[in-house]
Amino acid sequence: MDAPRFSELAVETPDLPAVEAEYAEIAAAIERHARGDGLHDAVRRWDALRTRLETWLSLARVHFTQDTRDAAARRERERADELAPRFQGLDVGVMRALLAEPRRSALSGLVGDQALALWECAVAAFDPVIEEDKVREAKLAAEYTELMASAALPVNGEVCNHETIYRFLEDPDRAVRREAQRVRWAWFAEHGERLDAIYDALVRLRHGMGRKLGHVDYLPMAYQQMLRIDYGAEDVARYRDAVREHVVPLAAELRARQARRLGVDRLVFWDEFVMDPAGNPKPAGDRAWMVERARELFSAVGGGLREFFDAMVERDLLDLDAREGKAPGGYCDFFGAYRVPFIFASFSGTKRDAEVFTHEMGHAFQVWSSRDAFPFDVIWPSMDACEIHSMSLEFLSAPYMELFFGDDAERFRRLHLEQSLLFLPYGVAVDHFQHLVHERPEASPAERHALWQEVERRYLPWRDYGDLPRLPGGGLWQGQLHIYTSPFYYIDYTLAGVCALQYAAWAERDRAEALDSYVALCHRGGTAPFQALARGAGLESPLDPGCLERVVAHARTALG
Ligand code: ZN
C-alpha cells in the first residue's frame, strides 16, 4: 500500500467557484465531443475531480465523528454538508449530458451499463430545486447525531454514552441491566420533544422533496437514492410478509427459549440483550489485544485478508477506541484519492466489538478489492450488496473466534446466529415503520409513535417493556440512527443478512468454496445491482419466493 498514514491524509477545502469552473470546463469538453477519445478524456477528468471532492467530504465527516466537540472539525463538516448537495447538483448535470444520445451509446464500453443505470437513478433522484432542502436535511441529521453524542448516562458509578452503555445493557445481573435501560430511556424521555421535532422536520422536508420531484410522496425518491435498480417497493413488501410468515415464529421460539435459559417467567426488554445466564461472552482483552489477535484471525480466514489487515494497521486506518465526544456507531469509509478505506468504531468490551470489527473489516476489504474500478460509481455497490460483504465476514470468521473468546467461542457462535435471526423481524419493522410514516407525512409525533407500536405488534409480538420510560408508548425507533440519518437504508441489512446466513451454511458444507465466492464478490464491487451480485456469487436472492423458508429451515437445524 503506497499510501501515507491516516494523520497525513488531507484534501484542501474546495472553493465552490473554482469547483464550478472546473465542472464548466468538463461540460464544455463533453459538449464538444459526442464520442471518441475527447469524450473519454472528459469523463476521466470528471471522475478524478469527483474522487478528490468525495475524499474531502469523507475526511471532513470522519474527523467530525472522531470528536464531535472539536470546533474546527465541526466547521469543516458543516461546510461539507453545505457543499455536498452543490457537488451532487453539478454531477447530475454532467450525468444528464452523458446519458443523452449519442454519448450514452458511445460510453457504454468505457463505463459499463451498471454505471449508466446508476446515473439514471441519480438524475431521477435529484434536481436543483431540492438543493437547499438537501442542505437542511444534512443539518437536521447532524443535529440528531450531536444530541445522541452529547448523552452522559450515569450507570453503576460510571458515565456512559449511547455506545459504552452496551456493556451494562448486557450485564448478567438483571438489576444492573434493568437500571441501564431505565437510564438510557429516561434520557430519550427527557429529550423526547426535541427528537420528535427533528424527525417531524425531516419527514416533512423529505416528503416535500419527493413532491418537488413530481412524486406523490417521498418513497420513489428514497428508493432511487438507495440505488435500487433491480427491485422495488412491492418486492420489499412481499419480503416483509415472508419474514413475518417464516422468521417471526422462529424468533418467538428463540425468545421463549431465551426466557427459559435465563430462568425468567417473563422476558422483559432488559433481558433481551442477554442470551444466557452466564452473560454474553466477552473478548478476553482490550482493543490493542484484539488487534493483535485479529492478525491471526484474518490469517486463518485467508483470501488475502491478513495482508490487507496488516496494511490497515500500518497506515493507522482503524479508530476503534471509545472516547468522550466520539459519535456513536461504527462505519467504514473510503478515501478515493488515496485509494484506502478507514474503519471507525467505539469498542465497549462486549462481544459487539468482535462483531463490529469483522463487520467493518468486510466493508473495508471489499472496497479495497475493487478500489481500481472505473468509474468512481462502481467501486462500492449499493448498500444492500455492501452489507453482504460485512455481515458475511462476521460468519466466515466465526470458526476462529476462539482467538477472541477462548472457551466461550462456541457460545459466541450460537448467540451470533440466534441474534442474526432475531434481527430480521426488527429490521423489517424499522423499514415498515418508515413506509407507514411516509404514507402519512402529516401525522403528528404521537401518531408516529402509534405507528411504531403497530409494526411492533406485527413483527415483535413478544415485546414487553415493563416499567421502562418512553418505550411502552412506542419510542424505541428514536434510538435507531438510520431512521434519522439514512432513510430507508435499514431493509438493506436484513436483505444482506439473509445472504450472510446463506454464506454461513455454505461455509459449513465447504469453507474454501464459500470463501472463494466471497472474495470474488468483493472484487466485483458495484459493477452490478444487488440481486445480480447475489445470484452471480451463487446465492439465492432473499427476494425470491422460498428463499427465506429455506434459510430458516437450515438455521433451525443448525440451532438444534
Ligand atoms: Zn455495514
Side-chain angles (χ1 to χ4, degrees):
M1 206 189 285
D2 52 354
R5 297 172 64 82
F6 174 69
S7 58
E8 294 160 328
L9 308 186
V11 174
E12 213 182 302
T13 306
D15 168 52
L16 188 58
V19 170
E20 283 169 341
E22 266 185 277
Y23 271 90
E25 282 174 31
I26 291 165
I30 291 169
E31 182 70 26
R32 278 195 306 278
H33 302 279
R35 56 178 62 80
D37 289 346
L39 181 63
H40 289 192
D41 288 345
V43 171
R44 286 199 190 89
R45 187 175 163 196
W46 170 50
D47 202 65
L49 174 58
R50 288 174 83 193
T51 301
R52 177 162 62 82
L53 296 175
E54 283 294 331
T55 304
W56 172 73
L57 290 171
S58 290
L59 281 167
R61 288 172 181 153
V62 166
H63 289 147
F64 173 70
T65 54
Q66 287 183 307
D67 188 354
T68 57
R69 302 162 309 175
D70 183 308
R74 170 193 303 256
R75 274 196 304 279
E76 192 76 343
R77 200 230 53 227
E78 283 170 356
R79 190 83 188 113
D81 290 345
E82 277 162 27
L83 286 180
R86 317 279 176 215
F87 299 162
Q88 202 182 349
L90 293 164
D91 284 330
V92 161
V94 174
M95 289 170 190
R96 199 168 271 135
L98 295 176
L99 285 168
E101 290 296 354
R103 291 178 182 83
R104 187 195 164 103
S105 302
L107 277 176
S108 85
L110 178 72
V111 302
D113 290 341
Q114 174 66 3
L116 294 171
L118 289 167
W119 293 350
E120 269 168 5
C121 256
V123 165
F126 189 84
D127 187 280
V129 298
I130 62 165
E131 216 170 275
E132 289 307 324
D133 293 338
K134 298 288 281 183
V135 174
R136 232 189 113 217
E137 183 186 25
K139 285 208 170 103
L140 286 163
E143 220 181 286
Y144 173 83
T145 306
E146 280 168 47
L147 180 60
M148 288 287 283
S150 73
L153 310 167
V155 186
N156 240 16
E158 270 183 50
V159 179
C160 300
N161 59 32
H162 284 297
E163 282 295 312
T164 54
I165 198 167
Y166 263 88
R167 202 154 50 82
F168 295 113
L169 299 180
E170 292 187 2
D171 202 285
D173 184 338
R174 200 179 193 198
V176 172
R177 58 181 190 258
R178 179 182 184 170
E179 174 60 9
Q181 290 289 3
R182 194 197 59 73
V183 169
R184 179 165 149 80
W185 293 101
W187 184 90
F188 279 98
E190 190 191 328
H191 297 87
E193 234 169 88
R194 187 138 169 243
L195 289 162
D196 280 335
I198 295 173
Y199 192 56
D200 190 63
L202 278 168
V203 169
R204 286 163 194 273
L205 188 66
R206 287 168 180 159
H207 180 74
M209 285 193 277
R211 300 283 300 173
K212 286 180 194 172
L213 291 180
H215 307 300
V216 286
D217 57 24
Y218 176 58
L219 248 269
M221 174 188 173
Y223 272 59
Q224 281 159 350
Q225 260 186 172
M226 289 307 295
L227 306 173
R228 290 178 187 150
I229 286 171
D230 60 358
Y231 63 94
E234 290 109 57
D235 302 293
V236 173
R238 266 195 305 276
Y239 167 77
R240 286 194 306 258
D241 285 342
V243 170
R244 190 187 185 197
E245 190 183 340
H246 301 291
V247 186
V248 172
L250 173 65
E253 282 173 48
L254 289 173
R255 289 298 185 201
R257 194 201 277 199
Q258 183 183 7
R260 284 196 299 278
R261 261 197 318 237
L262 292 176
V264 296
D265 53 355
R266 179 179 154 211
L267 190 83
V268 189
F269 187 60
W270 51 76
D271 300 317
E272 286 195 13
F273 294 70
V274 182
M275 300 302 286
D276 88 28
N280 293 344
K282 286 183 183 160
D286 61 6
R287 193 268 309 150
W289 179 88
M290 283 186 77
V291 168
E292 263 321 301
R293 306 293 276 195
R295 282 178 209 276
E296 264 179 81
L297 177 89
F298 294 124
S299 272
V301 176
L305 273 144
R306 161 70 192 260
E307 295 72 13
F308 165 64
F309 180 67
D310 282 346
M312 291 285 284
V313 173
E314 199 181 304
R315 301 291 171 184
D316 216 7
L317 294 164
L318 307 151
D319 179 1
L320 307 173
D321 288 316
R323 286 188 308 272
E324 213 182 306
K326 213 169 152 175
Y331 65 80
C332 168
D333 209 334
F334 176 63
F335 307 129
Y338 296 97
R339 295 159 68 246
V340 292
F342 174 81
I343 291 177
F344 176 96
S346 296
F347 278 10
S348 57
T350 67
K351 75 177 179 55
R352 267 165 52 101
D353 297 352
E355 289 160 350
V356 171
F357 199 0
T358 50
H359 180 102
E360 301 306 338
M361 268 294 287
H363 285 309
F365 180 67
Q366 179 269 308
V367 73
W368 168 253
S369 301
S370 63
R371 66 194 184 282
D372 294 327
F374 178 86
F376 171 81
D377 311 73
V378 299
I379 293 177
W380 290 107
S382 47
M383 298 316 295
D384 36 23
C386 274
E387 298 302 343
I388 306 179
H389 314 121
S390 54
M391 296 171 109
S392 299
L393 189 59
E394 293 180 44
F395 281 111
L396 293 171
S397 55
Y400 316 103
M401 280 294 154
E402 271 74 8
L403 286 158
F404 288 152
F405 297 100
D407 293 344
D408 252 354
E410 190 49 43
R411 226 157 52 83
F412 170 83
R413 282 187 281 271
R414 183 184 185 82
L415 301 186
H416 183 65
L417 176 58
E418 285 183 357
Q419 288 181 329
S420 302
L421 292 159
L422 287 168
F423 172 73
L424 297 175
Y426 173 72
V428 299
V430 170
D431 182 66
H432 202 161
F433 172 68
Q434 295 180 83
H435 277 87
L436 294 175
V437 163
H438 278 284
E439 278 164 21
R440 290 186 52 204
E442 74 296 340
S444 69
E447 286 168 328
R448 286 190 195 116
H449 287 261
L451 290 176
W452 175 258
Q453 289 176 294
E454 194 181 314
V455 299
E456 237 170 23
R457 280 191 294 273
R458 189 177 171 87
Y459 301 103
L460 309 163
W462 55 82
R463 256 304 133 80
D464 176 352
Y465 290 117
D467 58 357
L468 289 172
R470 193 75 179 163
L471 294 173
L476 184 85
W477 60 275
Q478 298 196 309
Q480 192 57 63
L481 168 97
H482 301 69
I483 294 176
Y484 285 82
T485 65
S486 315
F488 291 90
Y489 179 163
Y490 219 65
I491 197 72
D492 297 38
Y493 288 111
T494 77
L495 294 171
V498 173
C499 293
L501 285 161
Q502 293 179 63
Y503 266 123
W506 191 350
E508 258 171 55
R509 290 195 309 273
D510 187 334
R511 205 177 284 180
E513 197 186 81
L515 185 74
D516 282 349
S517 156
Y518 173 79
V519 171
L521 178 68
C522 289
H523 279 268
R524 284 193 76 186
T527 53
F530 170 69
Q531 295 198 83
L533 284 171
R535 290 181 186 130
L539 305 170
E540 264 187 275
S541 164
L543 299 160
D544 285 345
C547 174
L548 267 171
E549 218 173 327
R550 281 184 284 278
V551 166
V552 166
H554 184 271
R556 259 183 203 283
T557 318
L559 290 166

